[in-house]
Amino acid sequence: MTRKLIKVFGLFVLVVMVAGGFNHRASEAQDPYAGHTAVVGYAEIITDPAGPEAGRLVYLRQDLGNKRLTSDFVYGDPRRMAFNGGYPGITYAVDSGFQSADANLANEVGWMRDSILVWDAENCSDLALQENAVAPGSTGIVRGAPTFYADLTQVGFVPLPLFVSSPTVLGVTYTFIWIDGAGNPTDIDSNGKADAALREIYYNDAYNWADNGVLGARGSGYIDFPSVAIHEVGHGFSQAHFGNIGTKDGFLVANPDAVMNAIYGGIRWQLTGTDSGGHCSNWANWPHQ
Ligand SMILES: [Ca+2]
Ligand SMILES: [Ca+2]
């Protein structure tokens, strides 16, 4: 089987695994959202700059009616509030059950939390965040877990089929969107974006990870975990990749440098101006009703 076929098969498996069983939990017979279902819409990937490609966006539901897959959370979305504890803002969770054994990665659970706080510290926005508990070792919705825990969950170092089919992928953020009973993405707040249901973040343990702020220069053989976690959480907060990709000294490079570059650029624990700008454009008006 060619690598391309393996990749396609891997995505097919993911779609099959999430099909059915994740319906909006209608609380009353007249619920206008009865029949709405959360389905995986796309995956955003950050890659090793020594690999053959820059990070990319993989559409998993491109067959849907209006093909509008750019998505964002809706403040006070009753479909999210039915599973996130009744919280109108964004809830997040950190699963401590899938940790890497890499010797130079000492505090991955702490960094999964801190990567959230890096974005929340931006003064232009108030994300109205709340942390929800998640059972350690919960499988994750992408892999067929029966329960939603939060709007944004970092599941951890899980050997996904994606990491086997695309071995230069460092991390991935899956976005689930709501579809109605006819299979079309919904836009209940009429902002032109499909309504996000939840997001999940996974990391590829095939790489050698570090979090001491020293190891992790591009091409060093180590990947700095905080830098990748902050990048993935950027996707978790609806931010897209940014920066032009070129080649220099045998590596893919991005310009201008930003946390949200599609390729790993070494240790980067602070947001750049472009990262902040993208974040503020998404969230300055949140909560918006
Ligand atoms: Ca919308
Ligand atoms: Ca590893």
Side-chain angles (χ1 to χ4, degrees), residues 18 30 40 50 67 77 85 103 116 121 177 199 202 208 220 257 279:
V18 300
Q30 299 305 313
V40 64
K67 299 183 174 56
D77 189 332
I116 299 273
I177 57 172
R199 292 189 168 110
Y202 296 82
N208 200 359
S220 68
D257 287 340
H279 175 80

Side-chain angles (χ1 to χ4, degrees), residues 28 35 41 82-83 108 135 139 158 168 183 209 219 232-233 253-254 264 275 279 285:
E28 55 186 272
F83 70 78
E108 60 204 81
T139 310
V158 175
T168 59
W209 296 85
E232 295 304 331
V233 169
V253 294
Y264 176 75
D275 297 315
H279 175 80
N285 294 324

Side-chain angles (χ1 to χ4, degrees), residues 107 109-119 230:
N107 187 27
V109 172
W111 275 113
M112 284 196 276
R113 288 201 174 87
D114 285 352
S115 59
I116 299 273
L117 302 180
V118 165
W119 291 98
I230 295 166

Side-chain angles (χ1 to χ4, degrees), residues 14-26 33-42 60-61 64 69 71 73 77-84 140-151 174-186 194-200:
L14 288 173
V15 171
V16 169
M17 286 175 68
V18 300
F22 298 110
N23 298 328
H24 164 57
R25 297 169 192 167
Y33 305 121
H36 286 204
T37 306
V39 299
V40 64
Y42 54 85
L60 302 172
R61 293 288 301 195
L64 291 179
L69 286 170
S71 67
F73 293 112
D77 189 332
R79 299 164 298 181
R80 288 193 301 107
M81 293 172 68
F83 70 78
N84 76 0
I141 301 299
V142 165
R143 296 197 301 151
T147 304
F148 298 142
Y149 287 97
D151 303 296
Y174 288 96
T175 293
F176 288 71
I177 57 172
W178 293 110
I179 59 171
D180 61 22
N184 294 311
T186 70
D195 306 329
L198 71 149
R199 292 189 168 110
E200 285 187 343

Side-chain angles (χ1 to χ4, degrees), residues 70-74 79 186-196:
T70 302
S71 67
D72 209 350
F73 293 112
V74 177
R79 299 164 298 181
T186 70
D187 182 16
I188 66 172
D189 60 345
S190 302
N191 69 346
K193 295 181 179 180
D195 306 329

